Amino acid sequence: LDHSTSTNILESFLYSKKKIGILGGGQLGLMLCQAATNWRLPIWIMDVSQDFPAGKMCDQFVEGNFKDYDDVMAFGRQVDILTIEIEHVNTDALIQLQKEGVIVHPAPQSLNIIKDKGLQKQFYKAHNIPTSPFGLYESKDELDAAIGNDIQIPFVIKYRTAGYDGKGVQIVRSGADMESVLDVPMMVEELVEIDKEISVIAAKNPSGQVVTFPVVEMEFHPTANLVEFLLCPSDISTEISKKADSLARQIITAMDINGLLAVEMFLTKKGDLLINEVAPRPHNSGHQTIEGNLTSQYEQHLRSNMDMPLGNTDILKPSVMINLLGAPGHTGDARYEGIDECTKMDNSFIHLYGKTTTKPFRKMGHATVIDDNLDEARRKAIFIKDNLIIKT
Ligand code: ADP
């Protein structure tokens, strides 16, 4: 890696008692705090409740709503670098804070493109980045009128601004599926014949250094629409892997994102790579980097925000990651049945997010298993999935 770009950044940051602010106090914020403790970087977090995962892990917790202009302004004015762990934040405030001299990553202008699934797709089209064909519709009536003319069933609807964790995505396979379609602005795209879903997390610092993590493969839970297994490295050819890597580099550069950019892609049955969507923050598909790679995505995010040289992302051992989801039928105070049995296994690492209330399919934690043999890692991950039951 080229380390010639920066000098004494960390030393002077620590000496001048600068602070990093994060909008959002969920599990991604929690793991950013964990990474920051190695250097004792002062982390301030803003979210609506200190009971959230990162609330008690940071140096200073500030109660506020990251969607609210005044709250973000008041918080941002108290920190030196401001970043995010969720993209649905008030970008008008971020633009104003930038004008006032606060360092904001990612750039609020790029965040505005990413937050709107329609603008995101238009960005890919304008930059010749491969993605599935799409159209934008303002209302359900407009979409109804287009069916049979501009577009054919089946297709996929993504509400332009509301989506998170699969809730904003709807697959229309028949006319009957149209009944539950919301009457809001939407992006409608071709239903892709997916062979594999893969992700590349890229990082860029303000000096322009770009470093990517190796390609990971995501397997989805059939009903919860959440990642069930994450496998690293992905079982794809070197050629596809190189293509995926260079697409991620192309996008982070074109969007001029400083910090992390998780790039989710579809490998189609025909062998093409299409960009699904991106997230400018730590991502579920990078949890396994904590134990599986030399530098974790969380440390990399902090390094890139501070304009430090980026860390080496090489894989230490292949890894399998599973999300630990709340068991169906249980809502209330969480118990972690079977956790002792699971922690007895070598090379299995359990992370609990400290959410007091469990709900069906709520992300309550994750587990990473590392092993030279990916099948063995998968076997242990399945054991954890079947034996660690999060219930009331
Ligand atoms: P979210 O923002 O909720 O994560 P995504 O855009 O990632 O939504 O979509 C969630 C999942 O839905 C994807 O991981 C994929 O399995 C499926 N999906 C999304 N878009 C398409 C598409 N065009 N064709 C086929 N499946 C899709």
Side-chain angles (χ1 to χ4, degrees):
L1 298 177
D2 175 14
H3 284 183
S4 63
T5 46
S6 44
T7 48
N8 300 341
I9 290 175
L10 183 56
E11 183 187 334
S12 64
F13 192 93
L14 294 171
Y15 180 72
S16 55
K17 303 203 163 23
K18 286 188 180 167
K19 305 175 199 93
I20 298 177
I22 302 173
L23 296 174
Q27 58 263 22
L28 301 172
L30 165 72
M31 289 182 269
L32 282 170
C33 290
Q34 288 175 322
T37 55
N38 284 346
W39 299 326
R40 297 303 301 134
L41 291 174
I43 302 284
W44 285 38
I45 296 246
M46 186 179 84
D47 209 329
V48 294
S49 168
Q50 192 165 11
D51 289 336
F52 290 177
K56 295 187 178 84
M57 287 291 293
C58 53
D59 294 84
Q60 183 75 43
F61 181 82
V62 175
E63 220 172 89
N65 181 347
F66 49 65
K67 293 184 179 167
D68 181 86
Y69 182 89
D70 294 328
D71 285 359
V72 175
M73 286 304 299
F75 179 71
R77 283 178 176 145
Q78 299 181 79
V79 300
D80 301 279
I81 296 178
L82 184 58
T83 188
I84 58 167
E85 61 108 56
I86 180 165
E87 48 269 57
H88 303 282
V89 300
N90 191 301
T91 44
D92 289 340
L94 295 183
I95 289 169
Q96 180 57 31
L97 286 165
Q98 256 186 341
K99 287 185 191 146
E100 295 181 12
V102 180
I103 295 171
V104 178
H105 298 310
Q109 295 78 3
S110 310
L111 200 47
N112 277 337
I113 295 172
I114 292 169
K115 277 168 73 179
D116 179 331
K117 292 193 177 193
L119 294 180
Q120 218 190 106
K121 291 285 270 193
Q122 286 175 329
F123 183 92
Y124 301 140
K125 202 174 163 187
H127 288 81
N128 283 320
I129 292 164
T131 193
S132 59
F134 69 99
L136 303 183
Y137 299 90
E138 282 304 310
S139 65
K140 192 176 174 183
D141 280 350
E142 210 184 293
L143 174 60
D144 266 328
I147 296 175
N149 303 310
D150 296 341
I151 54 167
Q152 315 298 330
I153 290 175
F155 52 74
V156 179
I157 297 176
K158 299 184 181 178
Y159 301 112
R160 285 185 64 168
T161 53
Y164 203 56
D165 272 352
K167 289 179 198 93
V169 177
Q170 208 171 337
I171 299 183
V172 174
R173 294 182 194 277
S174 71
D177 289 338
M178 280 296 293
E179 275 166 35
S180 53
V181 170
L182 305 178
D183 190 23
V184 295
M186 53 195 124
M187 187 277 288
V188 177
E189 64 179 357
E190 235 173 64
L191 180 69
V192 176
E193 287 203 68
I194 299 171
D195 179 21
K196 284 179 194 297
E197 299 198 35
I198 61 173
S199 155
V200 174
I201 297 179
K204 184 168 84 65
N205 66 19
S207 295
Q209 188 191 10
V210 175
V211 171
T212 52
F213 283 88
V215 184
V216 301
E217 187 172 329
M218 301 174 282
E219 278 183 16
F220 280 74
H221 186 286
T223 52
N225 203 9
L226 288 167
V227 175
E228 183 156 46
F229 291 103
L230 195 134
L231 314 167
C232 183
S234 169
D235 181 22
I236 53 174
S237 69
T238 318
E239 188 200 340
I240 300 282
S241 165
K242 277 191 183 148
K243 254 193 209 163
D245 184 85
S246 68
L247 276 172
R249 288 170 182 274
Q250 185 189 351
I251 298 172
I252 197 168
T253 308
M255 286 190 171
D256 199 14
I257 299 281
N258 294 321
L260 298 178
L261 187 72
V263 182
E264 293 183 36
M265 309 177 205
F266 298 138
L267 175 59
T268 69
K269 294 211 163 127
K270 283 190 197 147
D272 297 322
L273 279 177
L274 299 176
I275 302 302
N276 175 26
E277 61 170 4
V278 298
R281 53 167 170 80
H283 193 254
N284 198 75
S285 66
H287 289 343
Q288 82 296 340
T289 58
I290 296 174
E291 289 92 5
N293 299 61
L294 281 166
T295 304
S296 76
Q297 66 164 343
Y298 303 99
E299 178 173 319
Q300 197 77 308
H301 189 68
L302 297 170
R303 281 175 175 263
S304 41
N305 271 268
M306 294 168 71
D307 204 14
M308 287 172 61
L310 300 178
N312 183 336
T313 58
D314 285 355
I315 292 175
L316 281 163
K317 273 187 199 293
S319 57
V320 174
M321 193 284 292
I322 54 166
N323 288 310
L324 301 174
L325 306 178
H330 292 263
T331 300
D333 281 355
R335 283 196 305 130
Y336 301 90
E337 196 181 279
I339 191 166
D340 289 277
E341 208 53 43
C342 295
T343 49
K344 278 182 198 158
M345 280 189 302
D346 284 346
N347 303 332
S348 308
F349 303 93
I350 310 269
H351 294 248
L352 300 180
Y353 302 152
K355 298 177 183 176
T356 45
T357 304
T358 183
K359 290 182 212 162
F361 303 117
R362 186 174 194 200
K363 283 182 193 168
M364 300 296 287
H366 76 262
T368 298
V369 183
I370 61 172
D371 201 291
D372 289 320
N373 179 333
L374 202 58
D375 288 334
E376 175 61 9
R378 189 193 253 273
R379 194 189 61 73
K380 287 183 178 173
I382 291 172
F383 181 88
I384 296 170
K385 186 169 100 61
D386 292 343
N387 289 279
L388 205 172
I389 311 295
I390 304 173
K391 55 203 283 197
T392 53

